[in-house]
mmCIF file of all heavy atoms in Angstrom:
data_model
loop_
_atom_site.group_PDB
_atom_site.id
_atom_site.type_symbol
_atom_site.label_atom_id
_atom_site.label_comp_id
_atom_site.label_asym_id
_atom_site.label_seq_id
_atom_site.Cartn_x
_atom_site.Cartn_y
_atom_site.Cartn_z
ATOM 1 N N MET A 1 -177.783 92.420 85.072
ATOM 2 C CA MET A 1 -176.919 91.401 84.542
ATOM 3 C C MET A 1 -176.441 91.864 83.143
ATOM 4 O O MET A 1 -177.249 92.288 82.336
ATOM 5 C CB MET A 1 -177.678 90.075 84.443
ATOM 6 C CG MET A 1 -176.839 88.950 83.948
ATOM 7 S SD MET A 1 -177.688 87.362 83.964
ATOM 8 C CE MET A 1 -177.899 87.098 85.697
ATOM 9 N N ASP A 2 -175.171 91.763 82.932
ATOM 10 C CA ASP A 2 -174.675 92.194 81.634
ATOM 11 C C ASP A 2 -174.891 91.131 80.566
ATOM 12 O O ASP A 2 -175.263 90.001 80.854
ATOM 13 C CB ASP A 2 -173.193 92.588 81.720
ATOM 14 C CG ASP A 2 -172.279 91.429 82.066
ATOM 15 O OD1 ASP A 2 -172.787 90.380 82.443
ATOM 16 O OD2 ASP A 2 -171.055 91.601 81.963
ATOM 17 N N GLU A 3 -174.676 91.516 79.325
ATOM 18 C CA GLU A 3 -174.975 90.647 78.186
ATOM 19 C C GLU A 3 -174.120 89.377 78.194
ATOM 20 O O GLU A 3 -174.612 88.286 77.892
ATOM 21 C CB GLU A 3 -174.724 91.424 76.891
ATOM 22 C CG GLU A 3 -175.066 90.629 75.659
ATOM 23 C CD GLU A 3 -174.828 91.418 74.403
ATOM 24 O OE1 GLU A 3 -174.883 92.652 74.433
ATOM 25 O OE2 GLU A 3 -174.562 90.774 73.377
ATOM 26 N N ARG A 4 -172.877 89.502 78.542
ATOM 27 C CA ARG A 4 -171.958 88.351 78.567
ATOM 28 C C ARG A 4 -172.420 87.294 79.586
ATOM 29 O O ARG A 4 -172.414 86.091 79.298
ATOM 30 C CB ARG A 4 -170.546 88.815 78.878
ATOM 31 C CG ARG A 4 -169.549 87.725 78.773
ATOM 32 C CD ARG A 4 -168.152 88.263 78.936
ATOM 33 N NE ARG A 4 -167.200 87.183 78.784
ATOM 34 C CZ ARG A 4 -165.926 87.294 78.946
ATOM 35 N NH1 ARG A 4 -165.400 88.470 79.244
ATOM 36 N NH2 ARG A 4 -165.128 86.274 78.792
ATOM 37 N N ALA A 5 -172.806 87.733 80.743
ATOM 38 C CA ALA A 5 -173.259 86.801 81.784
ATOM 39 C C ALA A 5 -174.560 86.125 81.368
ATOM 40 O O ALA A 5 -174.747 84.915 81.595
ATOM 41 C CB ALA A 5 -173.448 87.540 83.112
ATOM 42 N N LEU A 6 -175.434 86.878 80.762
ATOM 43 C CA LEU A 6 -176.714 86.313 80.288
ATOM 44 C C LEU A 6 -176.473 85.262 79.208
ATOM 45 O O LEU A 6 -177.060 84.182 79.225
ATOM 46 C CB LEU A 6 -177.622 87.419 79.781
ATOM 47 C CG LEU A 6 -179.000 86.994 79.321
ATOM 48 C CD1 LEU A 6 -179.737 86.286 80.442
ATOM 49 C CD2 LEU A 6 -179.796 88.194 78.850
ATOM 50 N N ARG A 7 -175.573 85.570 78.259
ATOM 51 C CA ARG A 7 -175.245 84.593 77.196
ATOM 52 C C ARG A 7 -174.656 83.326 77.809
ATOM 53 O O ARG A 7 -174.967 82.221 77.369
ATOM 54 C CB ARG A 7 -174.274 85.199 76.216
ATOM 55 C CG ARG A 7 -174.951 85.924 75.081
ATOM 56 C CD ARG A 7 -173.961 86.329 74.017
ATOM 57 N NE ARG A 7 -173.186 87.453 74.508
ATOM 58 C CZ ARG A 7 -171.902 87.655 74.271
ATOM 59 N NH1 ARG A 7 -171.231 86.822 73.542
ATOM 60 N NH2 ARG A 7 -171.284 88.705 74.756
ATOM 61 N N ARG A 8 -173.825 83.492 78.801
ATOM 62 C CA ARG A 8 -173.205 82.329 79.454
ATOM 63 C C ARG A 8 -174.262 81.467 80.136
ATOM 64 O O ARG A 8 -174.231 80.235 80.030
ATOM 65 C CB ARG A 8 -172.167 82.790 80.463
ATOM 66 C CG ARG A 8 -171.506 81.673 81.218
ATOM 67 C CD ARG A 8 -170.022 81.848 81.238
ATOM 68 N NE ARG A 8 -169.379 80.871 82.101
ATOM 69 C CZ ARG A 8 -168.964 79.692 81.665
ATOM 70 N NH1 ARG A 8 -169.089 79.362 80.422
ATOM 71 N NH2 ARG A 8 -168.383 78.844 82.502
ATOM 72 N N LEU A 9 -175.189 82.081 80.843
ATOM 73 C CA LEU A 9 -176.246 81.330 81.507
ATOM 74 C C LEU A 9 -177.124 80.575 80.509
ATOM 75 O O LEU A 9 -177.516 79.418 80.732
ATOM 76 C CB LEU A 9 -177.118 82.255 82.358
ATOM 77 C CG LEU A 9 -176.509 82.702 83.667
ATOM 78 C CD1 LEU A 9 -177.439 83.713 84.343
ATOM 79 C CD2 LEU A 9 -176.259 81.523 84.592
ATOM 80 N N LEU A 10 -177.454 81.228 79.395
ATOM 81 C CA LEU A 10 -178.245 80.571 78.355
ATOM 82 C C LEU A 10 -177.496 79.385 77.765
ATOM 83 O O LEU A 10 -178.091 78.336 77.499
ATOM 84 C CB LEU A 10 -178.615 81.568 77.269
ATOM 85 C CG LEU A 10 -179.684 82.588 77.632
ATOM 86 C CD1 LEU A 10 -179.763 83.677 76.593
ATOM 87 C CD2 LEU A 10 -181.030 81.909 77.838
ATOM 88 N N THR A 11 -176.192 79.531 77.550
ATOM 89 C CA THR A 11 -175.397 78.448 77.009
ATOM 90 C C THR A 11 -175.295 77.273 77.987
ATOM 91 O O THR A 11 -175.397 76.116 77.581
ATOM 92 C CB THR A 11 -173.987 78.952 76.659
ATOM 93 O OG1 THR A 11 -174.111 80.049 75.778
ATOM 94 C CG2 THR A 11 -173.146 77.871 75.988
ATOM 95 N N ILE A 12 -175.150 77.588 79.272
ATOM 96 C CA ILE A 12 -175.091 76.522 80.280
ATOM 97 C C ILE A 12 -176.409 75.757 80.329
ATOM 98 O O ILE A 12 -176.423 74.514 80.383
ATOM 99 C CB ILE A 12 -174.736 77.127 81.671
ATOM 100 C CG1 ILE A 12 -173.279 77.587 81.672
ATOM 101 C CG2 ILE A 12 -174.971 76.111 82.779
ATOM 102 C CD1 ILE A 12 -172.906 78.448 82.878
ATOM 103 N N ALA A 13 -177.510 76.482 80.295
ATOM 104 C CA ALA A 13 -178.820 75.843 80.322
ATOM 105 C C ALA A 13 -179.038 74.993 79.069
ATOM 106 O O ALA A 13 -179.566 73.867 79.139
ATOM 107 C CB ALA A 13 -179.919 76.885 80.448
ATOM 108 N N ALA A 14 -178.632 75.506 77.915
ATOM 109 C CA ALA A 14 -178.782 74.758 76.660
ATOM 110 C C ALA A 14 -177.907 73.508 76.690
ATOM 111 O O ALA A 14 -178.329 72.436 76.234
ATOM 112 C CB ALA A 14 -178.411 75.648 75.479
ATOM 113 N N ARG A 15 -176.694 73.623 77.220
ATOM 114 C CA ARG A 15 -175.803 72.461 77.303
ATOM 115 C C ARG A 15 -176.416 71.375 78.204
ATOM 116 O O ARG A 15 -176.377 70.192 77.879
ATOM 117 C CB ARG A 15 -174.438 72.870 77.849
ATOM 118 C CG ARG A 15 -173.409 71.752 77.854
ATOM 119 C CD ARG A 15 -172.061 72.232 78.367
ATOM 120 N NE ARG A 15 -171.534 73.346 77.636
ATOM 121 C CZ ARG A 15 -170.768 73.249 76.554
ATOM 122 N NH1 ARG A 15 -170.452 72.058 76.091
ATOM 123 N NH2 ARG A 15 -170.321 74.319 75.957
ATOM 124 N N ALA A 16 -177.018 71.764 79.290
ATOM 125 C CA ALA A 16 -177.664 70.812 80.186
ATOM 126 C C ALA A 16 -178.830 70.128 79.490
ATOM 127 O O ALA A 16 -179.008 68.899 79.588
ATOM 128 C CB ALA A 16 -178.133 71.520 81.451
ATOM 129 N N ALA A 17 -179.637 70.887 78.757
ATOM 130 C CA ALA A 17 -180.777 70.318 78.042
ATOM 131 C C ALA A 17 -180.319 69.340 76.964
ATOM 132 O O ALA A 17 -180.913 68.280 76.790
ATOM 133 C CB ALA A 17 -181.619 71.435 77.416
ATOM 134 N N VAL A 18 -179.260 69.674 76.253
ATOM 135 C CA VAL A 18 -178.735 68.803 75.207
ATOM 136 C C VAL A 18 -178.149 67.532 75.804
ATOM 137 O O VAL A 18 -178.397 66.412 75.296
ATOM 138 C CB VAL A 18 -177.686 69.545 74.326
ATOM 139 C CG1 VAL A 18 -176.920 68.589 73.449
ATOM 140 C CG2 VAL A 18 -178.396 70.591 73.491
ATOM 141 N N ARG A 19 -177.421 67.660 76.886
ATOM 142 C CA ARG A 19 -176.857 66.459 77.538
ATOM 143 C C ARG A 19 -177.969 65.537 78.011
ATOM 144 O O ARG A 19 -177.891 64.330 77.882
ATOM 145 C CB ARG A 19 -175.950 66.853 78.697
ATOM 146 C CG ARG A 19 -174.635 67.443 78.223
ATOM 147 C CD ARG A 19 -173.680 67.648 79.360
ATOM 148 N NE ARG A 19 -173.330 66.346 79.937
ATOM 149 C CZ ARG A 19 -172.738 66.185 81.115
ATOM 150 N NH1 ARG A 19 -172.435 67.240 81.831
ATOM 151 N NH2 ARG A 19 -172.460 64.999 81.564
ATOM 152 N N TRP A 20 -179.018 66.114 78.580
ATOM 153 C CA TRP A 20 -180.158 65.330 79.051
ATOM 154 C C TRP A 20 -180.819 64.611 77.876
ATOM 155 O O TRP A 20 -181.122 63.427 77.933
ATOM 156 C CB TRP A 20 -181.158 66.231 79.756
ATOM 157 C CG TRP A 20 -182.368 65.491 80.234
ATOM 158 C CD1 TRP A 20 -183.513 65.285 79.545
ATOM 159 C CD2 TRP A 20 -182.533 64.831 81.482
ATOM 160 N NE1 TRP A 20 -184.402 64.562 80.316
ATOM 161 C CE2 TRP A 20 -183.814 64.262 81.489
ATOM 162 C CE3 TRP A 20 -181.716 64.686 82.590
ATOM 163 C CZ2 TRP A 20 -184.286 63.552 82.579
ATOM 164 C CZ3 TRP A 20 -182.210 63.983 83.672
ATOM 165 C CH2 TRP A 20 -183.483 63.409 83.662
ATOM 166 N N ALA A 21 -181.046 65.349 76.807
ATOM 167 C CA ALA A 21 -181.711 64.769 75.629
ATOM 168 C C ALA A 21 -180.869 63.655 74.997
ATOM 169 O O ALA A 21 -181.395 62.654 74.523
ATOM 170 C CB ALA A 21 -181.983 65.869 74.609
ATOM 171 N N MET A 22 -179.559 63.833 74.981
ATOM 172 C CA MET A 22 -178.686 62.817 74.404
ATOM 173 C C MET A 22 -178.682 61.542 75.243
ATOM 174 O O MET A 22 -178.572 60.437 74.722
ATOM 175 C CB MET A 22 -177.255 63.339 74.246
ATOM 176 C CG MET A 22 -177.126 64.385 73.151
ATOM 177 S SD MET A 22 -175.498 65.140 73.068
ATOM 178 C CE MET A 22 -174.495 63.741 72.619
ATOM 179 N N GLY A 23 -178.811 61.698 76.540
ATOM 180 C CA GLY A 23 -178.769 60.540 77.434
ATOM 181 C C GLY A 23 -180.107 59.854 77.634
ATOM 182 O O GLY A 23 -180.192 58.632 77.677
ATOM 183 N N LYS A 24 -181.158 60.643 77.780
ATOM 184 C CA LYS A 24 -182.446 60.058 78.135
ATOM 185 C C LYS A 24 -183.555 60.309 77.120
ATOM 186 O O LYS A 24 -184.680 59.864 77.304
ATOM 187 C CB LYS A 24 -182.895 60.636 79.491
ATOM 188 C CG LYS A 24 -181.925 60.333 80.599
ATOM 189 C CD LYS A 24 -182.474 60.721 81.920
ATOM 190 C CE LYS A 24 -181.405 60.572 82.983
ATOM 191 N NZ LYS A 24 -181.644 59.538 83.915
ATOM 192 N N GLY A 25 -183.251 61.077 76.091
ATOM 193 C CA GLY A 25 -184.300 61.420 75.126
ATOM 194 C C GLY A 25 -185.040 62.646 75.594
ATOM 195 O O GLY A 25 -184.878 63.100 76.713
ATOM 196 N N SER A 26 -185.855 63.190 74.712
ATOM 197 C CA SER A 26 -186.584 64.405 75.046
ATOM 198 C C SER A 26 -187.912 64.417 74.288
ATOM 199 O O SER A 26 -187.974 63.986 73.142
ATOM 200 C CB SER A 26 -185.760 65.634 74.650
ATOM 201 O OG SER A 26 -186.514 66.802 74.800
ATOM 202 N N PRO A 27 -188.967 64.914 74.924
ATOM 203 C CA PRO A 27 -190.234 65.056 74.197
ATOM 204 C C PRO A 27 -190.201 66.212 73.205
ATOM 205 O O PRO A 27 -191.118 66.369 72.405
ATOM 206 C CB PRO A 27 -191.246 65.298 75.312
ATOM 207 C CG PRO A 27 -190.474 65.885 76.426
ATOM 208 C CD PRO A 27 -189.093 65.267 76.318
ATOM 209 N N ASN A 28 -189.170 67.039 73.257
ATOM 210 C CA ASN A 28 -189.036 68.180 72.367
ATOM 211 C C ASN A 28 -188.597 67.691 70.984
ATOM 212 O O ASN A 28 -187.444 67.313 70.776
ATOM 213 C CB ASN A 28 -188.022 69.169 72.930
ATOM 214 C CG ASN A 28 -187.983 70.455 72.140
ATOM 215 O OD1 ASN A 28 -188.144 70.454 70.937
ATOM 216 N ND2 ASN A 28 -187.721 71.541 72.844
ATOM 217 N N VAL A 29 -189.518 67.715 70.051
ATOM 218 C CA VAL A 29 -189.250 67.184 68.695
ATOM 219 C C VAL A 29 -188.156 67.995 68.007
ATOM 220 O O VAL A 29 -187.273 67.426 67.360
ATOM 221 C CB VAL A 29 -190.561 67.188 67.852
ATOM 222 C CG1 VAL A 29 -190.298 66.741 66.444
ATOM 223 C CG2 VAL A 29 -191.593 66.314 68.518
ATOM 224 N N TRP A 30 -188.208 69.304 68.123
ATOM 225 C CA TRP A 30 -187.211 70.165 67.488
ATOM 226 C C TRP A 30 -185.801 69.800 67.960
ATOM 227 O O TRP A 30 -184.881 69.640 67.134
ATOM 228 C CB TRP A 30 -187.493 71.636 67.810
ATOM 229 C CG TRP A 30 -186.508 72.583 67.210
ATOM 230 C CD1 TRP A 30 -186.543 73.122 65.964
ATOM 231 C CD2 TRP A 30 -185.313 73.078 67.821
ATOM 232 N NE1 TRP A 30 -185.454 73.925 65.765
ATOM 233 C CE2 TRP A 30 -184.683 73.922 66.902
ATOM 234 C CE3 TRP A 30 -184.711 72.894 69.079
ATOM 235 C CZ2 TRP A 30 -183.482 74.585 67.176
ATOM 236 C CZ3 TRP A 30 -183.519 73.544 69.352
ATOM 237 C CH2 TRP A 30 -182.917 74.382 68.398
ATOM 238 N N LEU A 31 -185.640 69.635 69.265
ATOM 239 C CA LEU A 31 -184.330 69.331 69.822
ATOM 240 C C LEU A 31 -183.819 67.967 69.328
ATOM 241 O O LEU A 31 -182.663 67.835 68.936
ATOM 242 C CB LEU A 31 -184.393 69.357 71.359
ATOM 243 C CG LEU A 31 -183.089 69.066 72.108
ATOM 244 C CD1 LEU A 31 -181.978 70.007 71.676
ATOM 245 C CD2 LEU A 31 -183.325 69.151 73.599
ATOM 246 N N MET A 32 -184.669 66.973 69.328
ATOM 247 C CA MET A 32 -184.239 65.645 68.912
ATOM 248 C C MET A 32 -183.895 65.617 67.401
ATOM 249 O O MET A 32 -182.930 64.983 66.993
ATOM 250 C CB MET A 32 -185.313 64.604 69.228
ATOM 251 C CG MET A 32 -185.523 64.401 70.713
ATOM 252 S SD MET A 32 -184.005 64.125 71.674
ATOM 253 C CE MET A 32 -183.491 62.552 71.048
ATOM 254 N N ARG A 33 -184.674 66.323 66.597
ATOM 255 C CA ARG A 33 -184.369 66.383 65.150
ATOM 256 C C ARG A 33 -183.024 67.075 64.925
ATOM 257 O O ARG A 33 -182.220 66.647 64.099
ATOM 258 C CB ARG A 33 -185.459 67.123 64.395
ATOM 259 C CG ARG A 33 -186.614 66.222 64.041
ATOM 260 C CD ARG A 33 -187.549 66.883 63.076
ATOM 261 N NE ARG A 33 -188.127 68.044 63.764
ATOM 262 C CZ ARG A 33 -188.658 69.102 63.174
ATOM 263 N NH1 ARG A 33 -188.705 69.188 61.890
ATOM 264 N NH2 ARG A 33 -189.167 70.082 63.883
ATOM 265 N N MET A 34 -182.773 68.156 65.655
ATOM 266 C CA MET A 34 -181.499 68.865 65.511
ATOM 267 C C MET A 34 -180.336 67.971 65.939
ATOM 268 O O MET A 34 -179.295 67.954 65.274
ATOM 269 C CB MET A 34 -181.492 70.138 66.358
ATOM 270 C CG MET A 34 -182.343 71.234 65.809
ATOM 271 S SD MET A 34 -181.702 71.925 64.292
ATOM 272 C CE MET A 34 -180.331 72.874 64.891
ATOM 273 N N LEU A 35 -180.489 67.218 67.011
ATOM 274 C CA LEU A 35 -179.405 66.342 67.464
ATOM 275 C C LEU A 35 -179.137 65.212 66.473
ATOM 276 O O LEU A 35 -178.018 64.738 66.385
ATOM 277 C CB LEU A 35 -179.743 65.759 68.853
ATOM 278 C CG LEU A 35 -179.527 66.715 70.017
ATOM 279 C CD1 LEU A 35 -180.111 66.115 71.292
ATOM 280 C CD2 LEU A 35 -178.063 67.058 70.177
ATOM 281 N N ASN A 36 -180.154 64.800 65.755
ATOM 282 C CA ASN A 36 -179.950 63.763 64.744
ATOM 283 C C ASN A 36 -179.247 64.291 63.507
ATOM 284 O O ASN A 36 -178.659 63.534 62.752
ATOM 285 C CB ASN A 36 -181.300 63.142 64.336
ATOM 286 C CG ASN A 36 -181.837 62.250 65.419
ATOM 287 O OD1 ASN A 36 -181.085 61.661 66.182
ATOM 288 N ND2 ASN A 36 -183.139 62.141 65.497
ATOM 289 N N ARG A 37 -179.327 65.612 63.269
ATOM 290 C CA ARG A 37 -178.779 66.196 62.028
ATOM 291 C C ARG A 37 -177.473 66.971 62.230
ATOM 292 O O ARG A 37 -176.723 67.140 61.281
ATOM 293 C CB ARG A 37 -179.802 67.149 61.397
ATOM 294 C CG ARG A 37 -181.028 66.438 60.881
ATOM 295 C CD ARG A 37 -181.904 67.388 60.132
ATOM 296 N NE ARG A 37 -182.119 68.625 60.871
ATOM 297 C CZ ARG A 37 -183.184 69.388 60.742
ATOM 298 N NH1 ARG A 37 -184.130 69.077 59.909
ATOM 299 N NH2 ARG A 37 -183.313 70.478 61.467
ATOM 300 N N ARG A 38 -177.241 67.492 63.414
ATOM 301 C CA ARG A 38 -176.119 68.432 63.616
ATOM 302 C C ARG A 38 -175.249 67.982 64.799
ATOM 303 O O ARG A 38 -175.721 67.288 65.698
ATOM 304 C CB ARG A 38 -176.637 69.831 63.926
ATOM 305 C CG ARG A 38 -177.558 70.404 62.878
ATOM 306 C CD ARG A 38 -176.764 70.882 61.698
ATOM 307 N NE ARG A 38 -177.659 71.539 60.742
ATOM 308 C CZ ARG A 38 -177.567 71.374 59.440
ATOM 309 N NH1 ARG A 38 -176.655 70.593 58.933
ATOM 310 N NH2 ARG A 38 -178.395 71.964 58.623
ATOM 311 N N PRO A 39 -174.014 68.456 64.821
ATOM 312 C CA PRO A 39 -173.134 68.187 65.980
ATOM 313 C C PRO A 39 -173.705 68.851 67.242
ATOM 314 O O PRO A 39 -174.326 69.920 67.160
ATOM 315 C CB PRO A 39 -171.811 68.824 65.606
ATOM 316 C CG PRO A 39 -171.849 69.005 64.120
ATOM 317 C CD PRO A 39 -173.300 69.164 63.761
ATOM 318 N N PRO A 40 -173.498 68.236 68.394
ATOM 319 C CA PRO A 40 -174.070 68.773 69.651
ATOM 320 C C PRO A 40 -173.702 70.231 69.932
ATOM 321 O O PRO A 40 -174.538 70.992 70.424
ATOM 322 C CB PRO A 40 -173.501 67.859 70.737
ATOM 323 C CG PRO A 40 -173.248 66.568 70.012
ATOM 324 C CD PRO A 40 -172.832 66.947 68.614
ATOM 325 N N ILE A 41 -172.492 70.672 69.625
ATOM 326 C CA ILE A 41 -172.110 72.048 69.935
ATOM 327 C C ILE A 41 -172.948 73.047 69.143
ATOM 328 O O ILE A 41 -173.318 74.111 69.658
ATOM 329 C CB ILE A 41 -170.580 72.270 69.707
ATOM 330 C CG1 ILE A 41 -170.140 73.606 70.319
ATOM 331 C CG2 ILE A 41 -170.203 72.214 68.260
ATOM 332 C CD1 ILE A 41 -170.205 73.654 71.819
ATOM 333 N N LEU A 42 -173.278 72.709 67.902
ATOM 334 C CA LEU A 42 -174.139 73.585 67.106
ATOM 335 C C LEU A 42 -175.558 73.603 67.658
ATOM 336 O O LEU A 42 -176.216 74.649 67.646
ATOM 337 C CB LEU A 42 -174.157 73.145 65.646
ATOM 338 C CG LEU A 42 -172.871 73.377 64.863
ATOM 339 C CD1 LEU A 42 -173.028 72.856 63.437
ATOM 340 C CD2 LEU A 42 -172.507 74.851 64.858
ATOM 341 N N VAL A 43 -176.018 72.477 68.148
ATOM 342 C CA VAL A 43 -177.350 72.404 68.730
ATOM 343 C C VAL A 43 -177.403 73.226 70.019
ATOM 344 O O VAL A 43 -178.396 73.906 70.279
ATOM 345 C CB VAL A 43 -177.761 70.938 68.996
ATOM 346 C CG1 VAL A 43 -179.140 70.867 69.647
ATOM 347 C CG2 VAL A 43 -177.757 70.156 67.695
ATOM 348 N N ILE A 44 -176.340 73.208 70.777
ATOM 349 C CA ILE A 44 -176.287 73.999 72.013
ATOM 350 C C ILE A 44 -176.410 75.483 71.702
ATOM 351 O O ILE A 44 -177.195 76.198 72.326
ATOM 352 C CB ILE A 44 -174.970 73.713 72.776
ATOM 353 C CG1 ILE A 44 -175.017 72.299 73.373
ATOM 354 C CG2 ILE A 44 -174.716 74.741 73.864
ATOM 355 C CD1 ILE A 44 -173.680 71.796 73.878
ATOM 356 N N VAL A 45 -175.679 75.962 70.708
ATOM 357 C CA VAL A 45 -175.727 77.360 70.336
ATOM 358 C C VAL A 45 -177.110 77.721 69.789
ATOM 359 O O VAL A 45 -177.668 78.756 70.133
ATOM 360 C CB VAL A 45 -174.621 77.698 69.322
ATOM 361 C CG1 VAL A 45 -174.768 79.105 68.780
ATOM 362 C CG2 VAL A 45 -173.250 77.523 69.951
ATOM 363 N N ALA A 46 -177.653 76.849 68.949
ATOM 364 C CA ALA A 46 -178.986 77.116 68.389
ATOM 365 C C ALA A 46 -180.050 77.146 69.481
ATOM 366 O O ALA A 46 -180.947 78.000 69.462
ATOM 367 C CB ALA A 46 -179.326 76.052 67.346
ATOM 368 N N LEU A 47 -179.973 76.232 70.430
ATOM 369 C CA LEU A 47 -180.933 76.204 71.525
ATOM 370 C C LEU A 47 -180.804 77.421 72.417
ATOM 371 O O LEU A 47 -181.816 78.014 72.836
ATOM 372 C CB LEU A 47 -180.777 74.911 72.336
ATOM 373 C CG LEU A 47 -181.758 74.719 73.475
ATOM 374 C CD1 LEU A 47 -183.208 74.730 72.977
ATOM 375 C CD2 LEU A 47 -181.463 73.406 74.195
ATOM 376 N N ALA A 48 -179.587 77.849 72.704
ATOM 377 C CA ALA A 48 -179.374 79.059 73.509
ATOM 378 C C ALA A 48 -179.969 80.274 72.806
ATOM 379 O O ALA A 48 -180.626 81.117 73.421
ATOM 380 C CB ALA A 48 -177.899 79.268 73.788
ATOM 381 N N ASN A 49 -179.750 80.349 71.495
ATOM 382 C CA ASN A 49 -180.331 81.443 70.719
ATOM 383 C C ASN A 49 -181.850 81.384 70.741
ATOM 384 O O ASN A 49 -182.520 82.411 70.902
ATOM 385 C CB ASN A 49 -179.825 81.407 69.280
ATOM 386 C CG ASN A 49 -180.292 82.579 68.481
ATOM 387 O OD1 ASN A 49 -180.178 83.711 68.927
ATOM 388 N ND2 ASN A 49 -180.841 82.307 67.321
ATOM 389 N N LYS A 50 -182.398 80.183 70.586
ATOM 390 C CA LYS A 50 -183.852 80.017 70.610
ATOM 391 C C LYS A 50 -184.416 80.430 71.965
ATOM 392 O O LYS A 50 -185.462 81.089 72.048
ATOM 393 C CB LYS A 50 -184.194 78.577 70.283
ATOM 394 C CG LYS A 50 -185.656 78.323 70.112
ATOM 395 C CD LYS A 50 -185.890 76.893 69.645
ATOM 396 C CE LYS A 50 -187.366 76.656 69.549
ATOM 397 N NZ LYS A 50 -187.728 75.918 68.371
ATOM 398 N N MET A 51 -183.751 80.047 73.035
ATOM 399 C CA MET A 51 -184.222 80.410 74.373
ATOM 400 C C MET A 51 -184.158 81.928 74.596
ATOM 401 O O MET A 51 -185.011 82.494 75.278
ATOM 402 C CB MET A 51 -183.389 79.689 75.448
ATOM 403 C CG MET A 51 -183.623 78.210 75.463
ATOM 404 S SD MET A 51 -182.746 77.210 76.695
ATOM 405 C CE MET A 51 -181.436 78.163 77.282
ATOM 406 N N SER A 52 -183.168 82.578 74.001
ATOM 407 C CA SER A 52 -183.023 84.040 74.206
ATOM 408 C C SER A 52 -184.094 84.821 73.448
ATOM 409 O O SER A 52 -184.423 85.938 73.848
ATOM 410 C CB SER A 52 -181.642 84.499 73.772
ATOM 411 O OG SER A 52 -181.530 84.489 72.364
ATOM 412 N N THR A 53 -184.615 84.262 72.371
ATOM 413 C CA THR A 53 -185.586 85.012 71.568
ATOM 414 C C THR A 53 -187.031 84.627 71.877
ATOM 415 O O THR A 53 -187.939 85.295 71.397
ATOM 416 C CB THR A 53 -185.340 84.793 70.055
ATOM 417 O OG1 THR A 53 -185.437 83.400 69.753
ATOM 418 C CG2 THR A 53 -183.971 85.334 69.662
ATOM 419 N N GLN A 54 -187.262 83.602 72.653
ATOM 420 C CA GLN A 54 -188.625 83.219 72.995
ATOM 421 C C GLN A 54 -189.247 84.281 73.913
ATOM 422 O O GLN A 54 -188.584 84.825 74.775
ATOM 423 C CB GLN A 54 -188.675 81.875 73.673
ATOM 424 C CG GLN A 54 -188.669 80.722 72.723
ATOM 425 C CD GLN A 54 -188.859 79.400 73.432
ATOM 426 O OE1 GLN A 54 -188.562 79.248 74.595
ATOM 427 N NE2 GLN A 54 -189.397 78.449 72.697
ATOM 428 N N GLY A 55 -190.518 84.543 73.693
ATOM 429 C CA GLY A 55 -191.204 85.483 74.533
ATOM 430 C C GLY A 55 -191.184 86.908 74.040
ATOM 431 O O GLY A 55 -191.713 87.794 74.666
ATOM 432 N N HIS A 56 -190.560 87.133 72.883
ATOM 433 C CA HIS A 56 -190.513 88.502 72.326
ATOM 434 C C HIS A 56 -191.544 88.671 71.277
ATOM 435 O O HIS A 56 -191.915 87.897 70.538
ATOM 436 C CB HIS A 56 -189.133 88.826 71.766
ATOM 437 C CG HIS A 56 -188.121 89.020 72.833
ATOM 438 N ND1 HIS A 56 -186.985 88.279 72.881
ATOM 439 C CD2 HIS A 56 -188.077 89.836 73.898
ATOM 440 C CE1 HIS A 56 -186.267 88.650 73.919
ATOM 441 N NE2 HIS A 56 -186.916 89.589 74.563
#
């Protein structure tokens, strides 16, 4: 899988997580704090970046 496709998948997953959290809440404290402080699009990018660097 090339880098562009991987970035797209991470962004799609982050967008789904943010939409879920905005609608139903989330036990993830970091995500909820970010949504309270920043616009959703910035939170999506930050979450995608966080997901890409976890596990390293």
Side-chain angles (χ1 to χ4, degrees):
M1 183 175 293
D2 65 349
E3 183 180 333
R4 185 174 182 184
L6 183 57
R7 272 189 285 143
R8 178 132 173 91
L9 284 176
L10 286 168
T11 304
I12 290 169
R15 185 178 304 270
V18 167
R19 287 188 65 194
W20 178 270
M22 289 174 65
K24 300 188 188 248
S26 172
N28 187 326
V29 177
W30 179 87
L31 180 56
M32 294 311 293
R33 277 190 295 157
M34 287 292 286
L35 283 170
N36 287 331
R37 293 187 312 207
R38 304 283 184 221
I41 192 68
L42 290 178
V43 178
I44 290 167
V45 172
L47 182 58
N49 185 49
K50 187 174 177 138
M51 292 181 343
S52 72
T53 59
Q54 277 186 335
H56 288 123

